[in-house]
Amino acid sequence: MKVFKFGGASVKDANAVKNVGEVIKLHQDDLVIVISAMGKTTNALESVVNSYLNKDGKVEENLQKVKAFHNVILNDLFEDKNHPIFNEVHNTFVEIEWEIEEEAVREYDYVYDQIVSVGEVLSTKIVSAYLNSVGINNKWQDVRNLIQSDNTHRNANVDWELTEQLIQKDIIPQFNTKDQTIFITQGFIASSSELFTTTLGREGSDFSAGILAFCLNAESVTIWKDVPGMLNADPKWFDDTIKLDNISYLEAVELAYYGASVIHPKTIKPLQNKNIPLNVKSFVSPTNTGTLINNETKQDAVVPSFIFKMNQVLISISAKDYSFVMEDSLSHIFGVFSEFGVKINLMQNSAISFSACVDFDEQKTMKLIDELKKNYKILYNDNLELVTIRHYDQSTIERVTANKEILVEQKSRNTARFIVK
Ligand code: ASP
Ligand code: MG
């Protein structure tokens, strides 16, 4: 049995959903299909949450936009306006309406998960009903009955043991008896032990596919994308990108760590642990070979990869009295970053200073700097770019640093990184 994952772009309108059907028809395998919210629904639902909690008077209007978007897709997909899916979608929205009718009593992250998770519920209900209507028999599966997590809302931690037990007990037997050969289920969402909905972090649907594949002992995972596979750079920055045909799990983890956004970094570990191959393929040309990620390292260094992170801030931290930055102050500094939830993209230290490069974030960056200022002398430089080259050589370095001022440069055997302006 195989696991497929379709992201938001692959179900962004009725034609996209029809195309998902075409892709599935090309496969005779038993399938568990993980689907994200349609198009930019997750962002739209985040606006609903923010309006609701900030009481900016726009909550109805924002929710209306999400409804209208889904209604257009429904109307395009189903000729029969009495199809039960219209009612189901309506009822799903009623759940949000109930939620927002009353004052919020719980914290932001909890409310966020209850509302934003509806995006995945809607998309899977619509796709499942559509596929059944065109003869692709499938069962809609609430993933919250399978993937169990703790109650860290918006970034829940998976209870692997319990999840595996539930999947083995509920899903495997249905495949074995051939009662079901295709399941349609949600990415991104899970359930806490208190039976509330949790989410696994933005872009978490790839990770969901990894979790399910691990627990199902799947043959392979395929992530269907609007690009031909994993490319050596984001086509946003380079015209002449090259597809990586085969890279190892380790190389994929490295690329994801440095910021390649094609697959969610957490996806690889469960697959590597059970040696389950991961394919990244195009839903536009589904018969083309995409990128294969497995144990094979032979081709890892064949093509240099470029990863750009924009809008970076370089924060330089030194002691107010010119003393060395030693282990005790480093441990305090890391504590502050962790407390403010700020991820360090690159760091460097000298005798009297420690520098950290982070994504600029309107909410967090200045607050973090203010906190650090209580104990240290702080200098910072914003509007920077962080460029990482995997498998670099001199010509690739020149290509990305031409006409730029280099503020920090770090090289290891396989990786060169530059903070440039
Ligand atoms: N819908 C969620 C998001 O946009 C999860 C995902 O697409 O992977 O973050
Ligand atoms: Mg996505």
Side-chain angles (χ1 to χ4, degrees):
M1 165 250 319
K2 295 178 176 168
V3 174
F4 281 4
K5 183 257 171 174
F6 290 93
S10 61
V11 288
K12 69 177 197 303
D13 55 28
N15 281 335
V17 173
K18 289 178 187 170
N19 182 61
V20 167
E22 297 305 315
V23 173
I24 295 169
K25 274 193 215 152
L26 295 170
H27 297 84
Q28 253 67 60
D29 315 271
D30 288 352
L31 294 173
V32 172
I33 302 175
V34 176
I35 303 178
S36 305
M38 295 176 144
K40 301 266 178 260
T41 299
T42 304
N43 293 348
L45 287 168
E46 282 183 349
S47 303
V48 172
V49 174
N50 292 337
S51 290
Y52 169 50
L53 293 177
N54 299 334
K55 304 198 179 88
D56 67 2
K58 289 198 181 140
V59 63
E60 277 301 329
E61 181 189 326
N62 284 332
L63 182 58
Q64 206 48 50
K65 286 186 199 156
V66 183
K67 277 192 199 172
F69 172 74
H70 286 85
N71 279 331
V72 169
I73 297 178
L74 269 182
N75 277 305
D76 287 347
L77 286 175
F78 298 91
E79 300 262 298
D80 172 12
K81 307 302 171 202
N82 291 318
H83 191 291
I85 186 66
F86 285 90
N87 237 328
E88 263 195 70
V89 167
H90 174 81
N91 291 341
T92 307
F93 277 113
V94 169
E95 282 172 39
I96 302 193
E97 276 157 10
W98 280 343
E99 186 92 29
I100 62 180
E101 228 162 62
E102 299 185 19
E103 284 273 309
V105 284
R106 289 195 54 180
E107 76 285 2
Y108 182 91
D109 291 352
Y110 167 85
V111 175
Y112 177 102
D113 283 355
Q114 310 320 303
I115 293 180
V116 170
S117 56
V118 170
E120 268 68 14
V121 173
L122 289 166
S123 70
T124 50
K125 284 195 167 163
I126 294 170
V127 174
S128 170
Y130 168 75
L131 294 176
N132 276 321
S133 79
V134 296
I136 303 173
N137 291 327
N138 71 88
K139 184 171 173 184
W140 182 82
Q141 170 70 44
D142 192 329
V143 84
R144 291 167 294 190
N145 296 330
L146 303 176
I147 302 182
Q148 305 300 300
S149 72
D150 66 4
N151 58 9
T152 314
H153 286 285
R154 288 187 72 190
N155 193 20
N157 299 296
V158 175
D159 181 335
W160 289 90
E161 224 166 283
L162 192 53
T163 301
E164 191 161 21
Q165 276 170 21
L166 289 169
I167 288 176
Q168 292 286 336
K169 181 166 99 11
D170 292 346
I171 304 299
I172 301 282
Q174 299 187 60
F175 278 123
N176 288 344
T177 56
K178 292 282 169 201
D179 282 345
Q180 273 310 321
T181 54
I182 302 181
F183 288 89
I184 301 288
T185 198
Q186 306 79 43
F188 183 51
I189 72 175
S191 168
S192 71
S193 54
E194 296 100 27
L195 303 181
F196 290 116
T197 303
T198 56
T199 60
L200 303 169
R202 283 304 305 266
E203 304 298 327
S205 294
D206 294 350
F207 183 38
S208 302
I211 299 166
L212 292 167
F214 178 94
C215 297
L216 288 158
N217 294 310
E219 227 175 288
S220 66
V221 175
T222 303
I223 297 182
W224 297 94
K225 309 260 328 172
D226 54 3
V227 286
M230 274 188 84
L231 303 175
N232 76 324
D234 189 327
K236 242 192 329 219
W237 315 117
F238 275 5
D239 303 328
D240 49 348
T241 52
I242 302 169
K243 178 168 73 74
L244 308 173
D245 294 331
N246 179 199
I247 58 171
S248 66
Y249 295 115
L250 182 66
E251 183 65 18
V253 168
E254 294 277 354
L255 291 172
Y257 169 79
Y258 290 122
S261 55
V262 177
I263 34 179
H264 190 284
K266 282 187 182 170
T267 315
I268 303 293
K269 182 177 179 277
L271 301 181
Q272 187 277 339
N273 287 177
K274 286 203 175 166
N275 203 4
I276 299 169
L278 170 61
N279 300 288
V280 181
K281 292 179 69 157
S282 160
F283 59 71
V284 186
S285 330
T287 52
N288 289 3
T289 46
T291 299
L292 169 64
I293 300 163
N294 58 10
N295 258 327
E296 187 56 63
T297 54
K298 263 195 228 122
Q299 292 187 50
D300 281 353
V302 173
V303 176
S305 288
F306 300 85
I307 300 144
F308 296 87
K309 274 180 171 284
M310 301 304 180
N311 211 0
Q312 300 292 297
V313 188
L314 182 63
I315 307 171
S316 152
I317 304 160
S318 49
K320 285 185 168 162
D321 63 359
Y322 219 73
S323 61
F324 293 128
V325 175
M326 299 291 276
E327 282 70 10
D328 51 348
S329 37
L330 280 177
S331 126
H332 174 252
I333 291 167
F334 282 127
V336 176
F337 276 84
S338 150
E339 186 191 323
F340 282 74
V342 175
K343 186 176 161 285
I344 300 176
N345 295 328
L346 177 146
M347 54 192 163
Q348 179 146 300
N349 58 328
S350 70
I352 56 156
S353 81
F354 171 79
S355 304
C357 178
V358 303
D359 295 341
F360 176 77
D361 178 316
E362 228 165 288
Q363 306 287 324
K364 293 179 186 167
T365 312
M366 289 321 290
K367 281 189 199 148
L368 170 91
I369 288 175
D370 287 341
E371 179 66 27
L372 290 167
K373 273 185 179 163
K374 291 181 187 164
N375 295 290
Y376 308 95
K377 197 177 124 214
I378 304 295
L379 296 169
Y380 69 93
N381 210 328
D382 58 5
N383 258 316
L384 305 175
E385 268 172 50
L386 172 60
V387 190
T388 303
I389 315 173
R390 285 284 289 168
H391 313 294
Y392 63 93
D393 61 19
Q394 196 48 40
S395 72
T396 51
I397 291 177
E398 278 157 21
R399 178 171 182 182
V400 295
T401 57
N403 307 320
K404 302 241 162 98
E405 182 192 340
I406 301 175
L407 280 82
V408 175
E409 166 170 353
Q410 277 184 5
K411 281 184 194 164
S412 65
R413 203 149 47 88
N414 292 318
T415 310
R417 311 190 76 197
F418 302 90
I419 300 176
V420 297
K421 205 178 172 117

